[in-house]
Amino acid sequence: MNLTAEQIQENWNELMDYINEYISEPRKEKLLAFYEQYAERIMLMPAAHKKEYHNAFPGGYVEHVLRVIRCSLRQAGLWQSEGCDMNTFTTEELVFSALNHDLGKMGDEEQEAYIPQTDNWRREKLGEDYMFNTKVPFASVPDRGLFMLQSHGIQYTFNEMVAIQTHDGLYDKANEKYLMSFMPEQKPRTSLPFILHQADLMAARIEFEREWLPKLKEDKKSVDAGKGNFTLGNKPNMSKKTSTKTKALGSFKSEGLKNIFDSL
C-alpha cells in the first residue's frame, strides 16, 4: 500500500488532534514539542520492516497508531458494556498508551530504527523494504519508547507503563511476569493492558488483511477458478480534506525525506 503525501499530512494532523483533545497539561505541551521535534521522522516511519508484517511503507507507523487509538476507544466501550470496572484507568491513560505503544520503533535521538533496505535480494525475495539500523543500540520497542518519553521529561503513570510494556501480550515472553501470574494480588489491577493489546492486535490484523487477502484471493483464483466467493469490503476513505502536495510536504531539512516524498 502507498499513501499519498496529502494522506500522510492528514494522518499527522489527526494524530496531533488526539493529543490536543485527550492529553492534559502539563504533559500535553511536552508531548506536542516532542512530536514536533521528530515530526519528519515519525511522519514517514513504517510500522514494520517487512511486508509480511503490517504497514511496512512510508507513513505506515502513524496510520497504525491512529487505528490503535480508535480501536482502543471502541474496545473500551465494549469492555464497559460487559461490566468492566472502568474506574481503574482514565481515557487519557488509554489514549496516551495507544499513542505511544510503539514509539520505540522510532530509534533514538540521533538515529532511525528502520532504514531503507540495501540488499536487493532481501527486498525482492523476502519483502524487506527496510532493515534494522545497527547504529542504534538494541532495546525492546516498549523499553526504548518509555526511555524516549522520560528522557524528554514526559511523565507517564504506572498504568501507562504497564500497558505500553505489555501491549504485545503473550506474543512477547517478557510479558509473562505481568500476564501469567495465578496469584490475584500479582495480576494487573486494571484492564487497560488487555484493552490496548486487543486494539493493537485488531489493528495489525486489519492491516495484514488489507495487504494480503486480495493477493491470496488472486492466487487462489489462479489455482482453482470459481472457489472462494467471498468479497472484500470497500477500501476506507483515508482522506478527510484536500490539500496540495506542496502544502502537505512543508519544508523538510533532510534530503532523504524530500526524495521519499517526491516519489509519492
Side-chain angles (χ1 to χ4, degrees):
M1 179 176 177
N2 292 314
L3 298 177
T4 66
E6 289 79 10
Q7 287 173 326
I8 289 174
Q9 183 65 54
E10 288 162 4
N11 285 342
W12 181 257
N13 292 342
E14 185 178 349
L15 196 71
M16 297 303 98
D17 288 343
Y18 274 116
I19 295 176
N20 280 307
E21 181 176 354
Y22 287 98
I23 307 303
S24 61
E25 296 291 2
R27 66 175 178 174
K28 176 195 289 188
E29 181 179 356
K30 293 182 178 180
L31 201 58
L32 287 171
F34 173 85
Y35 274 91
E36 184 62 31
Q37 179 178 348
Y38 295 102
E40 292 183 11
R41 187 195 305 184
I42 298 175
M43 194 182 298
L44 286 175
M45 280 169 49
H49 78 288
K50 63 186 302 183
K51 295 175 181 176
E52 283 75 7
Y53 297 156
H54 63 102
N55 278 26
F57 51 80
Y61 172 83
V62 172
E63 200 218 27
H64 171 70
V65 170
L66 288 174
R67 184 169 286 106
V68 173
I69 293 173
R70 294 193 300 268
C71 290
S72 293
L73 291 168
R74 289 167 179 158
Q75 284 287 350
L78 176 62
W79 279 64
Q80 182 178 26
S81 70
E82 290 298 326
C84 175
D85 184 354
M86 306 302 287
N87 295 316
T88 60
F89 65 94
T90 66
T91 302
E92 178 173 348
E93 287 179 318
L94 177 66
V95 173
F96 183 93
S97 301
L99 172 71
N100 298 296
H101 78 283
D102 268 347
L103 185 63
K105 291 182 177 180
M106 70 171 284
D108 58 23
E109 283 85 353
E110 304 298 329
Q111 300 286 339
E112 301 174 49
Y114 296 138
I115 56 178
Q117 177 61 261
T118 58
D119 188 324
N120 289 333
W121 185 89
R122 297 191 71 87
R123 186 187 303 111
E124 295 171 3
K125 303 299 183 182
L126 301 180
E128 295 180 2
D129 290 335
Y130 297 87
M131 63 183 183
F132 294 106
N133 186 354
T134 57
K135 294 181 180 180
V136 179
F138 172 77
S140 70
V141 169
D143 288 345
R144 190 184 304 283
L146 291 169
F147 176 81
M148 290 294 291
L149 290 172
Q150 65 87 23
S151 67
H152 287 262
I154 301 169
Q155 294 186 336
Y156 44 83
T157 67
F158 183 84
N159 279 350
E160 292 163 347
M161 179 195 71
V162 174
I164 291 172
Q165 282 278 8
T166 62
H167 75 267
D168 279 328
L170 291 175
Y171 288 100
D172 185 345
K173 288 183 66 67
N175 296 332
E176 290 181 358
K177 60 182 177 291
Y178 286 105
L179 304 178
M180 287 190 67
S181 174
F182 297 101
M183 301 178 67
E185 61 271 19
Q186 292 184 354
K187 291 180 181 291
R189 302 190 182 189
T190 172
S191 293
L192 176 59
F194 304 100
I195 293 172
L196 178 60
H197 171 56
Q198 290 183 354
D200 185 38
L201 187 65
M202 180 180 180
R205 174 64 194 185
I206 290 170
E207 291 153 10
F208 169 82
E209 290 188 359
R210 180 181 61 185
E211 177 76 19
W212 286 99
L213 288 191
K215 298 175 183 178
L216 296 174
K217 182 179 179 182
E218 289 303 316
D219 289 343
K220 184 174 179 61
K221 282 184 177 180
S222 66
V223 174
D224 189 6
K227 292 185 178 180
N229 58 358
F230 63 92
T231 57
L232 298 176
N234 294 328
K235 180 180 178 181
N237 181 8
M238 296 303 299
S239 59
K240 297 186 297 184
K241 46 191 173 183
T242 59
S243 59
T244 65
K245 185 171 184 178
T246 301
K247 181 179 178 182
L249 300 183
S251 177
F252 287 100
K253 294 173 285 185
S254 167
E255 289 298 324
L257 296 180
K258 291 179 181 178
N259 292 336
I260 291 176
F261 262 148
D262 285 342
S263 67
L264 294 172

